[in-house]
Amino acid sequence: MQAVPAYVQQPLALPGGCPAGLQLFALRLQFAAHIVSAQAQRHALRQAVDHAAQATVGLVAGALQHPPGKAPHWPQQPDWRCSIAYAWPLALWGVCAGHAWGVDAEVVLDLDDDLQQQYADVAALYLEPSAQACIASSADFAAQWCALEAQLKCAGLPLSEAASRPRGWNTALRTAPLELPSDWGRYRAALAWHGGFAIRK
């Protein structure tokens, strides 16, 4: 059996109004500088999340399924909605019974002029106009991008250009930023959920 990478984990403070029963955690790999390829990094984070889910909420180790284009899930808990975000060497993961929700995290990068233009082009294609208007820095881009990804996960939609999404697709969604440990690096994170459920006060 392959060894689980060393990691540290802590629960995240949740914003008011999010679904009751939501459990959300931040996990960071340790001693991971030797893991270089994107595929190996994703595999290591999935191993750590699977192990953490067993230790934290009692799910069966090795049972995490993450089919391409679909939400991750544990078959032994079909009513639990799961969302996972990877931003090397960080992962956010959590579960909530019955309620649709999504989480995402992005690394804040230092951008040169060429990358700034590339990010501006990406924002123009994928972000809603209201989100584009909020971008004045790379940190702003990361915040708006992870908010978009969290909403898409909650809505069960793939990433697509803004113009191709259904009209009003996110009008029933609520989104809030998440605070991550400041000594873990420069990240932005967001949580999205459907309004109208039993809420956490």
Side-chain angles (χ1 to χ4, degrees):
M1 180 178 294
Q2 191 172 4
V4 176
Y7 64 88
V8 292
Q9 177 178 265
Q10 69 179 58
L12 292 180
L14 297 173
C18 67
L22 174 61
Q23 300 180 72
L24 181 60
F25 304 90
L27 175 155
R28 188 176 188 275
L29 294 192
Q30 298 178 299
F31 318 117
H34 65 287
I35 305 175
V36 178
S37 74
Q39 182 177 3
Q41 291 174 350
R42 179 64 63 94
H43 178 70
L45 285 171
R46 286 185 178 179
Q47 275 189 295
V49 168
D50 187 78
H51 182 271
Q54 178 192 23
T56 308
V57 295
L59 294 172
V60 175
L64 172 62
Q65 296 186 10
H66 200 161
K70 296 184 179 181
H73 65 281
W74 284 271
Q76 72 270 29
Q77 291 287 358
D79 293 333
W80 283 17
R81 296 292 297 269
C82 174
S83 186
I84 303 175
Y86 301 111
W88 181 257
L90 176 83
L92 305 184
W93 73 276
V95 294
C96 185
H99 299 317
W101 69 286
V103 70
D104 196 64
E106 299 292 333
V107 180
V108 177
L109 301 174
D110 294 320
L111 306 180
D112 59 25
D113 290 343
D114 289 340
L115 280 177
Q116 286 181 353
Q117 184 57 54
Q118 291 179 33
Y119 272 52
D121 294 342
V122 168
L125 281 175
Y126 290 96
L127 295 179
E128 306 288 341
S130 58
Q132 295 179 42
C134 297
I135 297 175
S137 67
S138 58
D140 294 335
F141 177 88
Q144 295 301 324
W145 189 264
C146 65
L148 170 64
E149 290 273 17
Q151 289 182 340
L152 290 170
K153 291 176 183 179
C154 181
L157 295 174
L159 179 62
S160 61
E161 295 181 6
S164 67
R165 294 179 206 132
R167 183 183 298 274
W169 71 275
N170 61 351
T171 55
L173 303 184
R174 298 181 62 183
T175 310
L178 295 170
E179 291 293 329
L180 302 181
S182 59
D183 59 346
W184 282 18
R186 298 178 65 203
Y187 296 94
R188 294 293 183 270
L191 173 69
W193 66 95
H194 276 284
F197 291 124
I199 60 173
R200 178 188 299 267
K201 298 182 179 179

